[in-house]
Amino acid sequence: MKKLVSILCAFALVFGLAGCGQEEKKPEKKVTITIAAAASLEKTFEETLIPRFEKKYPNVNVKGVYDSSGKLQIQIEQGLDADVFFSAATKQMDSLVDEKLVDSKSVVNLLENKLVF
């Protein structure tokens, strides 16, 4: 009888430990990020970049807010919770950095906004 109980305990232990090793994969929580971008970037973001990003990261929804860089600066100063700000000029970005609404370490000169013929 002791041998049978020992075998049953061993099986219970093995199967219990095996269950601990397999984690049930939960679906990733859907998140939304907000991009504030110069109006000249709207078509590129909406037609190309955002759809590609959302296809690669299906749990992320990207919301775009587009206007002149000056108006976007004002919106951010008034509480627009933008995760990313693409300004067409450095003036607005510099002002937001000075006001401590943008971390200076996160600023990257990424694009140049000019007319191409």
Side-chain angles (χ1 to χ4, degrees):
M1 185 69 169
K2 285 184 178 181
K3 192 172 187 178
L4 180 60
V5 171
S6 296
I7 292 172
L8 289 175
C9 287
F11 274 114
L13 182 62
V14 169
F15 285 111
L17 291 175
C20 291
Q22 295 179 353
E23 198 174 303
E24 184 179 320
K25 192 168 185 174
K26 298 176 185 174
E28 293 185 42
K29 183 179 177 185
K30 187 87 169 167
V31 295
T32 298
I33 60 172
T34 301
I35 295 176
S40 58
L41 298 171
E42 182 174 6
K43 183 176 180 182
T44 301
F45 273 105
E46 292 295 323
E47 293 180 6
T48 306
L49 298 176
I50 292 174
R52 285 183 185 176
F53 184 88
E54 289 179 337
K55 183 177 181 181
K56 185 170 183 175
Y57 302 98
N59 65 311
V60 180
N61 178 51
V62 180
K63 175 186 168 197
V65 177
Y66 307 97
D67 212 327
S68 69
S69 296
K71 288 183 181 178
L72 290 170
Q73 175 190 350
I74 292 167
Q75 290 179 45
I76 292 169
E77 290 169 338
Q78 293 177 347
L80 175 65
D81 192 18
D83 298 294
V84 182
F85 176 40
F86 286 91
S87 178
T90 57
K91 177 183 171 186
Q92 290 78 21
M93 185 67 74
D94 293 341
S95 291
L96 292 171
V97 168
D98 291 343
E99 295 172 44
K100 305 218 182 310
L101 294 171
V102 172
D103 180 4
S104 63
K105 295 175 186 168
S106 69
V107 177
V108 176
N109 290 325
L110 181 64
L111 304 169
E112 186 176 77
N113 194 11
K114 66 180 181 180
L115 187 61
V116 179
F117 295 98

